[in-house]
Amino acid sequence: MTDNEARPLVPHMRLDELLAELQTRLEAVLATRDRVHALLEAVVSVGSDLDLETVLRRIVETATTLVDATYGALGVIGEENTLVEFIPVGLSEEEIARIEHWPHGLGLLGLLIKEPQTLRMSHISDHPESYGFPPGHPAMGSFLGVPIRVRDSVFGNLYLTEKRGGGEFDEDDEAIVVALATAAGVAIENARLYEDTRRRETWLQASSEITTRLLSGAEPHEVLTLIARRAREMSDTDLTAVLLPGADAKVLHPVLEDGSIWDDGAPGPALRDVAVAETLTGRAFLRGEPLMVDDAAVTDAVRAFTRRGALGPVAAVPLGAAGAVRGVLLLAKRAGRLPFSTPELRMLHAFAGQAAVALELAEARRDAEKLGLLEDRDRIAKDLHDVVIQRLFAVAMTLMSAVRLVDHPEASARVQTAIDELDTTIRQIRSTIFALQTPREEAVRSLRAQIVDLVEGARGHLGFMPGLTLEGRLDTDVPAEPAEHLLAVLREALSNVVRHAKASRADVTVRTADRRLTLIVQDDGVGVPAKGRRSGLRNLADRAERLGGDFRITSGEGGGARLEWSVPLDT
């Protein structure tokens, strides 16, 4: 072949090289175009949901797809520069089960937290800050870490490892993930704003509902249950509870719970009584300010829970302002969930404070109603005393003066009977006046009410209703110990009438006079046998002697038995 024949091949070879280079660049352009399209689709996908936890997982899944990473994770940074939530992608359930614990934010991950800037490496173990992996964690080589910023603060870090095919993450991968992290920050902020708006709406609705319920006369326990349920809804927690102080304000008692934090669905309460000192709940109660911990399972600050295996973030919110705290609203999430944010805690505190004000207003309204009731009862008692009793007394005096003018014995006896009946009626009205003038607490049944219950309870066994006369200030003048003995003696006396007396009539009289408490039970039965067991009667005598009093049982004027038990009220 001559030189002239070889020359045309040189331009042809150069043209092939140029075409090959052009094709390579076109493929790179097409690949870049495809990645840009994929990035745009990813940005749209990430921003299409407003649930924060869904957004976070979608960010990780999208990032691993864009850069062809085998594993990905997003670590959420807490207030103390620790990882409070770790969202992994690419691990199977079996691999997750083998990992002893998630990273706590040490080593290379801790470096990204302290110095939030992009970090790209071919081998994780080559970095001097590498801390290693938790036991059971799969080995990983190539690494790309990018911080996610929300406004001016770092929300968390996006971690990508093990590029498929054994290669390394390049500059294009880094640029793609940085762009995605920027869009992720916007999506996270939108999700947060949406959640804040939803919480405020729920808060306003709940506050209005609670105030309406309280002012319409709902019971406090019903309203506290509503407060716990609404607080759980607005904060998206797994468990809420209300704890109220005991009589000495040294112990907080859980009065109700709503929701559950146990994964195994174990029955029974999740909370127990806690001492106010040295507990998160107690400090919130004493200081009147909300407190929280990101992970209750690793702190001794929370001791109210019966166990800690499923515990994560916990917040204690006082019901009321400092100096006037009525209780504590306790909120808990399962392990691994996002901690309570500061704005969220402030909103819960405002809600709990408004609920406490509504409770106080409701109590003031009930006190006003009770005062009005007592005023009405006092007015009725005065009318009975000043009008009714005086007229009955005048009628009785007239009849007494007329008795000596009646010559017929039977008519005279009938007039005397009417006088006795009027006298009994006057005593009963006076007893009613004392009852009306005695304030009664709803939580403690009065002595009068307990006596009436015992007498009415004997009706079914006797076959008739015993007569009952109550005289004097039984509910105010009788201390707790004599009252307790009186009820026991009355119970035993009525039981004896039912079992042994074979009576057709029985009368019970309880009175306080001259600083003594006296019980008289009289029936028209067979009386007290000369021989028989006396253990029950000895017990009644012992009760009287213990209080320095007297006990005797005699035969009635018309047959039957008359039991009299009397003790002083000065002891």
Side-chain angles (χ1 to χ4, degrees):
M1 182 180 297
T2 64
D3 294 338
N4 293 332
E5 293 176 345
R7 286 174 185 173
L9 294 176
V10 175
H12 181 71
M13 292 177 62
R14 290 177 178 175
L15 180 61
D16 288 343
E17 291 175 359
L18 290 173
L19 289 174
E21 183 179 353
L22 178 61
Q23 182 178 1
T24 302
R25 294 190 178 186
L26 285 174
E27 289 176 354
V29 169
L30 291 174
T32 302
R33 183 200 64 180
D34 292 341
R35 297 190 76 176
V36 169
H37 285 171
L39 175 61
L40 292 175
E41 291 177 357
V43 169
V44 173
S45 174
V46 166
S48 63
D49 204 297
L50 291 175
D51 178 71
L52 183 57
E53 295 196 14
T54 303
V55 168
L56 297 181
R57 179 162 293 278
R58 188 169 293 175
I59 289 171
V60 187
E61 293 172 348
T62 304
T64 57
T65 302
L66 286 175
V67 299
D68 210 20
T70 304
Y71 306 108
L74 194 154
V76 180
I77 302 173
E79 293 187 355
E80 298 180 358
N81 285 337
T82 58
L83 291 179
V84 295
E85 186 173 18
F86 197 77
I87 304 171
V89 168
L91 295 171
S92 65
E93 293 184 2
E94 291 77 11
E95 288 175 319
I96 292 175
R98 285 197 295 268
I99 298 175
E100 185 174 304
H101 62 81
W102 291 121
H104 296 310
L106 304 174
L108 199 58
L109 302 190
L111 176 64
L112 275 171
I113 294 174
K114 291 182 291 185
E115 301 176 6
Q117 56 187 6
T118 303
L119 181 63
R120 179 163 52 91
M121 302 177 56
S122 58
H123 295 285
I124 296 176
S125 58
D126 292 342
H127 197 281
E129 294 286 340
S130 179
Y131 192 78
F133 298 100
H137 197 287
M140 297 178 180
S142 54
F143 176 84
L144 176 60
V146 177
I148 298 177
R149 287 181 169 84
V150 177
R151 293 182 183 267
D152 297 327
S153 61
V154 178
F155 175 82
N157 289 305
L158 190 58
Y159 310 112
L160 301 164
T161 59
E162 285 295 293
K163 189 175 178 69
R164 288 187 176 90
E168 301 177 9
F169 296 107
D170 55 23
E171 293 181 358
D172 291 340
D173 294 329
E174 180 178 333
I176 288 287
V177 177
V178 168
L180 178 65
T182 303
V186 176
I188 291 170
E189 178 68 7
N190 289 339
R192 279 180 163 181
L193 290 174
Y194 171 76
E195 286 195 354
D196 289 343
T197 302
R198 182 182 59 82
R199 284 195 200 98
R200 288 191 181 95
E201 183 179 356
T202 306
W203 173 33
L204 292 173
Q205 291 176 350
S207 299
S208 175
E209 184 179 4
I210 289 167
T211 303
T212 302
R213 288 280 189 92
L214 280 169
L215 298 182
S216 63
E219 292 296 325
H221 189 274
E222 176 187 346
V223 177
L224 289 175
T225 303
L226 182 62
I227 290 172
R229 185 178 303 119
R230 291 293 180 263
R232 184 169 64 86
E233 292 172 356
M234 73 172 63
S235 60
D236 192 26
T237 55
D238 297 302
L239 173 72
T240 56
V242 175
L243 294 91
L244 299 180
D248 56 359
K250 294 182 179 180
V251 177
L252 293 172
H253 308 286
V255 295
L256 60 94
E257 298 176 16
D258 186 76
S260 174
I261 57 172
W262 308 135
D263 294 326
D264 56 6
L271 299 173
R272 55 172 170 251
D273 292 352
V274 292
V276 171
E278 298 180 359
T279 62
L280 181 78
T281 313
R283 290 202 300 273
F285 176 76
L286 294 175
R287 297 178 187 176
E289 60 184 27
L291 301 172
M292 63 180 176
V293 291
D294 292 341
D295 189 356
V298 296
T299 179
D300 290 332
V302 180
R303 299 176 185 172
F305 295 91
T306 56
R307 53 194 175 113
R308 301 189 181 182
L311 270 180
V314 171
V317 182
L319 287 168
V325 179
R326 310 174 66 86
V328 176
L329 179 65
L330 194 64
L331 306 100
K333 295 182 181 181
R334 288 190 175 94
R337 294 198 58 193
L338 282 172
F340 296 93
S341 64
T342 301
E344 187 177 22
L345 204 61
R346 284 199 297 264
M347 184 180 299
L348 286 168
H349 191 205
F351 169 72
Q354 186 170 351
V357 171
L359 282 171
E360 188 171 348
L361 289 175
E363 286 188 1
R365 179 184 55 80
R366 284 194 296 271
D367 290 341
E369 291 177 353
K370 186 181 295 184
L371 179 60
L373 177 62
L374 292 175
E375 289 176 348
D376 287 341
R377 291 171 62 181
D378 188 59
R379 177 182 53 79
I380 294 170
K382 288 180 179 179
D383 290 344
L384 287 174
H385 181 271
D386 297 341
V387 179
V388 178
I389 285 184
Q390 298 304 323
R391 290 186 177 182
L392 289 175
F393 188 73
V395 172
M397 293 295 292
T398 302
L399 291 176
M400 288 178 64
S401 63
V403 168
R404 60 178 178 271
L405 302 177
V406 179
D407 296 331
H408 195 284
E410 185 177 351
S412 178
R414 289 186 178 182
V415 172
Q416 185 61 49
T417 300
I419 294 172
D420 293 340
E421 289 294 333
L422 284 172
D423 185 56
T424 301
T425 302
I426 290 173
R427 288 200 302 271
Q428 290 178 344
I429 292 176
R430 282 177 175 166
S431 178
T432 302
I433 291 172
F434 288 139
L436 287 172
Q437 292 176 333
T438 302
R440 293 178 293 178
E441 296 294 333
E442 295 179 2
V444 181
R445 290 182 58 78
S446 67
L447 178 58
R448 288 174 177 274
Q450 294 181 74
I451 293 171
V452 171
D453 286 347
L454 285 177
V455 174
E456 290 182 346
R459 179 179 186 176
H461 301 286
L462 290 170
F464 59 87
M465 181 65 189
L468 177 62
T469 302
L470 301 175
E471 301 178 12
R473 298 181 180 273
L474 295 174
D475 292 334
T476 56
D477 291 351
V478 181
E481 186 178 5
E484 181 180 352
H485 284 287
L486 171 75
L487 294 172
V489 171
L490 177 58
R491 191 179 295 110
E492 178 68 22
L494 290 173
S495 176
N496 288 337
V497 174
V498 170
R499 290 181 296 170
H500 308 301
K502 299 179 182 179
S504 60
R505 176 183 174 85
D507 294 291
V508 176
T509 301
V510 182
R511 64 170 175 261
T512 58
D514 300 328
R515 298 302 301 163
R516 290 190 72 84
L517 172 65
T518 302
L519 166 67
I520 299 174
V521 179
Q522 189 167 349
D523 64 75
D524 63 352
V526 299
V528 181
K531 296 181 180 180
R533 296 180 59 187
R534 300 281 180 139
S535 57
L537 298 180
R538 282 198 298 271
N539 182 37
L540 304 186
D542 290 342
R543 288 182 180 274
E545 291 176 4
R546 198 178 310 169
L547 298 176
D550 304 316
F551 170 76
R552 58 179 176 273
I553 183 166
T554 59
S555 298
E557 295 179 359
R562 184 178 187 276
L563 179 151
E564 182 174 344
W565 186 88
S566 179
V567 295
L569 294 176
D570 296 328
T571 57

